[in-house]
Amino acid sequence: MQPRTVLGAATVHRFDAIVVGAGGAGLRCALELSEHDYSVAVISKLYPVRSHTGAAQGGVGAALGNEEEDKPEWHFFDTVKGSDYLGDQDAIELMCEEAIAAVYELEHFGLPFSRTPDGKIAQRPFGGHTRNFGEAPVKRAAYAADRTGHMILHTLFDQCVKKEVRFFNEFYVLDLLKDGDACLGVVAYELATGEIHIFQAKATFIGTGGYGRVYSITSNAHASTGDCMAVCLRRGIPLEDMEFVQFHPTGLRRLGILVSEAARGEGGILRNREDLDNIGSGKDGFMAAVAPTVKDLAPRDMVARAIYDEIKAGRGIDGSGDTGSDYVYLDLVHLGEMVINTKLPDISHFSRTYLAVDPIVEPIPVQPTTHYAMGGIPTDTQGRVMRNARNEPVEGLYAAGEVACVSVHGANRLGTNSLVDIVVFGRRAGADMARYLKDAQFGHIGSEPDAFVRSEIDRLKHGGGKERVADIRKAMQSVMMVNSGVFRTEENLTTARDTIAELRQRYRQVGVGDQSDYFNTELVEAVELGFMLDIAGTIAESALNRTESRGAHSREDYPERDDKNWLKHTFISVDEDGQVSFDYKPVTITKFKPKPRVY
């Protein structure tokens, strides 16, 4: 049993290391720490197997070469090119080399991968992954049907339970304990009781995922509200490359539920209204003209823009030209019942359940959906959090996965690389934390470390505010979707920035009607909204600041990539008065010089 005391009205826990977030990155970090003789606790807003890693469908990228020749160097090149040359090449090369061992490690942990006829881990093509530096698509995504993230999540959780890792489930981290440039732990709110808990630690890891709920149409879970990015920002830690938001090209129409790239990896084809006669034929669709070599397996940023271009040209299925409501079809009919039911069972189920569309006999209506954060808390390849663009670390603070920016995804993430990211850098962070703990000591947390959290909760519950959470959230999601989406201009980004600023003022007048302490979901949604408004502001400000088009950041008023002025990372900070400032860090380039990005 770990030391547990009471400080004021808060319960204080002491662990050598705490892991915030129980998705793939957090669980892999905790598992690595469990190999050492340190006390470790995982703190999670959700029950661990409900974490958003479970929504990842198509596969985890690694050059295993099980289906055809493949090399880590090809994976390295594809990731650099996919990032539009903004990814740091030292980190990318390391990730692609370690991906192979990471996948076999998952297999040895018991992950039930799909298999080739001779029993090897099965692999399939994915967007932007090619053989021999771009010649043609390659089968690199190791998969478990279309439930790969789900299987990774359960496998790592089972291993953590086996190693007797301590879990604090449904504890919501609301603040970071800092003393100067050192992290001393976190403050958390227990959802079941409304009690405040202080977790004091020598080393703290953050793996809490992304912020997709900032937008109205997203593939993200309801819990993906950017909490710990905002917590760090409020405690003086800058965020890196926040302008780069990935829009996955194929979400279920109007719902945003993900239709995995695995569908196109298996041969799915996007079709517009002029191509309806070819449904079920297997003939090329409009992507053949956009990316002649890889066609529908172009990277996500290019496919999402291509879909909007088709819609704006009046070739969407309903022909309205409205990117908010029009859509295209994803045609799987020619794949046949066996492939669809055995290799794509989840997305088939989603299509039938939510749209009443059976992909065996008819195409799926799809449109781009907010999917992934390329930016986040800046880290190095050991998972150490950086407090500025000069690579100076926050002592005792680590992060990995979507919440972090290492940066291996640059301006656009390739499909399957998110799962590689979490297992490679989750493990590396855990290993470095174990090294750090050998000489680390507990810091002094002061007499009222939870004062800020208590004052915020008291304001929301008892401040008499009349503004409603749902009204502000809806306005935020709408303005971000319309004005900070796939295509951007100075005018619409300014609208987004100014509107978010107004909503933040209104947020100060938010009131919570439910005064109870037990599972007060209204209070939780109010707290989440505050975090999301902070994150929305950084996205709009960073996108307005970057006057070029690169990867997922597409400025119609600056349509070209500008390597002379913008081949660099953005660090955004916000002071206590709300003033925004930027700093920059050069991109690390080792082997692959920037070139025009064509497929």
Side-chain angles (χ1 to χ4, degrees):
M1 184 68 70
Q2 297 305 310
R4 175 185 168 111
T5 58
V6 175
L7 180 65
T11 302
V12 181
H13 310 263
R14 298 183 95 196
F15 291 90
D16 291 320
I18 54 175
V19 173
V20 183
L27 293 176
R28 187 62 192 86
C29 176
L31 190 56
E32 191 69 19
L33 285 164
S34 73
E35 298 293 331
H36 304 270
D37 188 23
Y38 297 119
S39 58
V40 180
V42 177
I43 305 166
S44 177
K45 181 176 166 182
L46 307 169
Y47 189 73
V49 293
R50 291 183 59 222
S51 300
H52 191 57
T53 297
Q57 298 171 345
V60 50
L64 306 181
N66 285 352
E67 304 261 7
E68 57 184 321
E69 183 183 13
D70 198 6
K71 299 177 181 179
E73 190 176 12
W74 297 350
H75 188 184
F76 172 25
F77 169 79
D78 290 337
T79 303
V80 171
K81 183 178 177 181
S83 79
D84 217 348
Y85 295 91
L86 195 77
D88 286 329
Q89 296 186 16
D90 54 343
I92 295 173
E93 183 172 22
L94 180 154
M95 180 184 75
C96 295
E97 289 180 345
E98 295 188 5
I100 296 171
V103 168
Y104 284 128
E105 187 178 58
L106 290 171
E107 182 187 39
H108 296 162
F109 286 156
L111 196 151
F113 283 108
S114 297
R115 297 287 167 176
T116 64
D118 57 352
K120 297 177 180 177
I121 295 173
Q123 296 184 272
R124 60 183 162 209
F126 240 75
H129 291 277
T130 68
R131 61 175 165 81
N132 200 22
F133 308 107
E135 280 187 356
V138 70
K139 295 180 179 179
R140 185 175 292 150
Y143 64 93
D146 57 357
R147 299 165 179 149
T148 313
H150 176 89
M151 296 303 182
I152 289 176
L153 190 62
H154 280 261
T155 299
L156 292 176
F157 182 56
D158 287 351
Q159 290 294 320
C160 284
V161 171
K162 178 182 174 183
K163 294 286 187 178
E164 299 182 340
V165 172
R166 178 84 182 272
F167 282 87
F168 290 85
N169 299 327
E170 299 181 330
F171 280 63
Y172 186 15
V173 168
L174 303 183
D175 199 9
L176 201 63
L177 299 175
K178 281 187 67 189
D179 181 13
D181 295 325
C183 177
L184 310 180
V186 299
V187 180
Y189 172 85
E190 185 178 3
L191 301 184
T193 65
E195 294 179 6
I196 301 298
H197 294 254
I198 295 164
F199 289 87
Q200 189 179 10
K202 300 172 186 173
T204 299
F205 174 90
I206 296 174
T208 50
Y211 53 65
R213 288 255 292 154
V214 164
Y215 288 81
S216 58
I217 297 177
T218 177
S219 63
N220 283 197
H222 279 273
S224 297
T225 49
D227 307 328
C228 279
M229 285 189 199
V231 163
C232 286
L233 187 70
R234 291 176 181 182
R235 289 301 171 195
I237 298 170
L239 298 179
E240 182 176 356
D241 291 343
M242 292 299 286
E243 58 269 42
F244 297 106
V245 181
Q246 182 164 83
F247 297 88
H248 195 291
T250 56
L252 291 184
R253 184 191 180 203
R254 290 180 174 160
L255 302 173
I257 295 171
L258 183 65
V259 180
S260 170
E261 206 164 310
R264 284 173 286 134
E266 295 295 342
I269 298 169
L270 291 164
R271 302 202 183 279
N272 60 26
R273 70 196 316 259
E274 296 180 351
D275 198 21
L276 301 182
D277 290 341
N278 287 325
I279 290 172
S281 70
K283 294 181 179 178
D284 288 343
F286 61 82
M287 283 306 301
V290 178
T293 302
V294 295
K295 301 175 184 175
D296 292 81
L297 287 176
R300 292 170 177 174
D301 59 329
M302 298 178 72
V303 181
R305 282 194 293 272
I307 290 174
Y308 273 178
D309 285 341
E310 292 299 307
I311 289 173
K312 288 194 290 186
R315 294 191 291 270
I317 299 304
D318 72 15
S320 68
D322 181 354
T323 54
S325 62
D326 206 349
Y327 58 101
V328 298
Y329 278 142
L330 177 61
D331 177 16
L332 307 181
V333 176
H334 57 288
L335 301 181
E337 183 173 357
M338 180 175 291
V339 170
I340 292 173
N341 284 343
T342 58
K343 294 188 174 182
L344 306 168
D346 268 7
I347 64 167
S348 305
H349 174 71
F350 295 153
S351 178
R352 294 178 185 120
T353 300
Y354 296 109
L355 296 181
V357 169
D358 184 350
I360 294 172
V361 297
E362 55 188 328
I364 305 172
V366 294
Q367 62 183 162
T369 180
T370 314
H371 185 59
Y372 189 84
M374 271 74 75
I377 303 167
T379 67
D380 65 8
T381 56
Q382 307 303 319
R384 300 185 303 167
V385 171
M386 300 293 115
R387 58 187 165 89
N388 53 42
R390 299 184 298 280
N391 290 334
E392 295 174 326
V394 180
E395 288 295 320
L397 185 60
Y398 293 76
E402 189 175 355
V403 75
C405 181
V406 53
S407 144
V408 290
H409 308 305
N412 174 66
R413 178 175 68 78
L414 291 189
T416 77
N417 276 350
S418 63
L419 294 182
V420 185
D421 181 346
I422 62 175
V423 292
V424 168
F425 292 106
R427 184 196 65 77
R428 293 181 70 86
D432 201 73
M433 289 171 75
R435 176 200 61 75
Y436 175 82
L437 287 171
K438 290 178 181 177
D439 301 315
Q441 303 294 323
F442 286 105
H444 177 62
I445 60 173
S447 58
E448 292 185 289
D450 57 341
F452 174 74
V453 168
R454 289 190 181 281
S455 69
E456 277 296 289
I457 291 176
D458 183 66
R459 178 183 68 81
L460 291 167
K461 291 181 70 173
H462 308 298
K466 301 302 181 185
E467 290 279 4
R468 302 268 69 92
V469 168
D471 296 338
I472 297 176
R473 185 176 58 211
K474 183 177 181 180
M476 172 195 68
Q477 291 172 332
S478 176
V479 77
M480 291 300 289
M481 199 75 214
V482 173
N483 294 285
S484 189
V486 172
F487 289 108
R488 301 162 169 184
T489 65
E490 179 176 348
E491 181 180 4
N492 61 27
L493 288 169
T494 300
T495 298
R497 180 194 65 185
D498 294 347
T499 303
I500 295 300
E502 293 170 6
L503 294 175
R504 292 179 72 178
Q505 290 300 314
R506 287 176 58 188
Y507 179 73
R508 300 302 302 170
Q509 302 304 316
V510 159
V512 172
D514 186 349
Q515 299 294 300
S516 67
D517 292 326
Y518 305 103
F519 288 110
N520 189 336
T521 56
E522 185 181 2
L523 174 63
V524 170
E525 290 191 357
V527 173
E528 289 177 334
L529 176 60
F531 289 145
M532 286 193 289
L533 286 167
D534 287 354
I535 295 303
T538 65
I539 294 169
E541 292 276 10
S542 299
L544 191 57
N545 180 59
R546 184 175 283 269
T547 52
E548 66 158 352
S549 289
R550 184 184 298 271
H553 174 65
S554 184
R555 288 281 301 257
E556 291 182 301
D557 45 355
Y558 295 93
E560 302 299 325
R561 195 178 78 192
D562 180 359
D563 288 339
K564 180 180 179 182
N565 295 301
W566 286 106
L567 190 58
K568 57 187 178 184
H569 298 290
T570 307
F571 281 57
I572 184 172
S573 299
V574 182
D575 67 18
E576 292 181 355
D577 297 325
Q579 296 300 307
V580 171
S581 60
F582 288 100
D583 201 355
Y584 302 96
K585 189 175 81 169
V587 175
T588 301
I589 297 174
T590 57
K591 292 186 178 179
F592 302 112
K593 304 301 179 187
K595 295 180 179 178
R597 187 164 163 256
V598 293
Y599 288 88

